[in-house]
Amino acid sequence: MKARILLLPAVAGLLGCTNEASHVPNVLLLPGYAVSTAIENAAYYRKRDQVEVFVKNNHPSLINEILTGGGPLLQEAMKIARVPMSEREALLLELQENKNLYAENAEAMVVTLMVHGI
């Protein structure tokens, strides 16, 4: 009977061991994760603010460039959002397909640029 009682915690402990990642991080690493996340968030929001200011200041011109197949302001917006060169043509096509949305809503354009940026 005593062996069964000792065996239960050992089996339960082994069942918790897997080769898959755990969603619970090591408690000792949490302060480092917090600092890292804060730095990443600050960088993201700084870039997002730059994209938002640029889009809102140039929104009518950006819409015209989308309709005509691109231009220097649209390229600058993609550059600020850090959209890879390899994805810019596909992004332009997406902007053209949804031109009415982006013409009515500058924020939607900001979000789209940020989603495609790195």
Side-chain angles (χ1 to χ4, degrees), residues 36-46:
S36 174
T37 300
I39 291 169
E40 289 172 5
N41 285 346
Y44 171 83
Y45 285 113
R46 185 173 41 254

Side-chain angles (χ1 to χ4, degrees), residues 5-6 12 24 26 30-32 34 46-47 54-55 59-60 65 73 79 103-105 108 118:
I5 293 172
L6 294 175
V24 180
N26 183 330
L30 287 177
R46 185 173 41 254
K47 179 175 78 166
F54 187 83
V55 167
H59 188 250
E65 289 187 4
L73 289 175
K79 179 181 172 185
E104 295 172 10
N105 188 344
I118 54 172

Side-chain angles (χ1 to χ4, degrees), residues 61-82:
S61 298
L62 287 167
I63 296 302
N64 286 334
E65 289 187 4
I66 289 169
L67 296 175
T68 60
L73 289 175
L74 187 57
Q75 287 300 314
E76 184 64 21
M78 291 181 189
K79 179 181 172 185
I80 294 168
R82 294 197 311 246

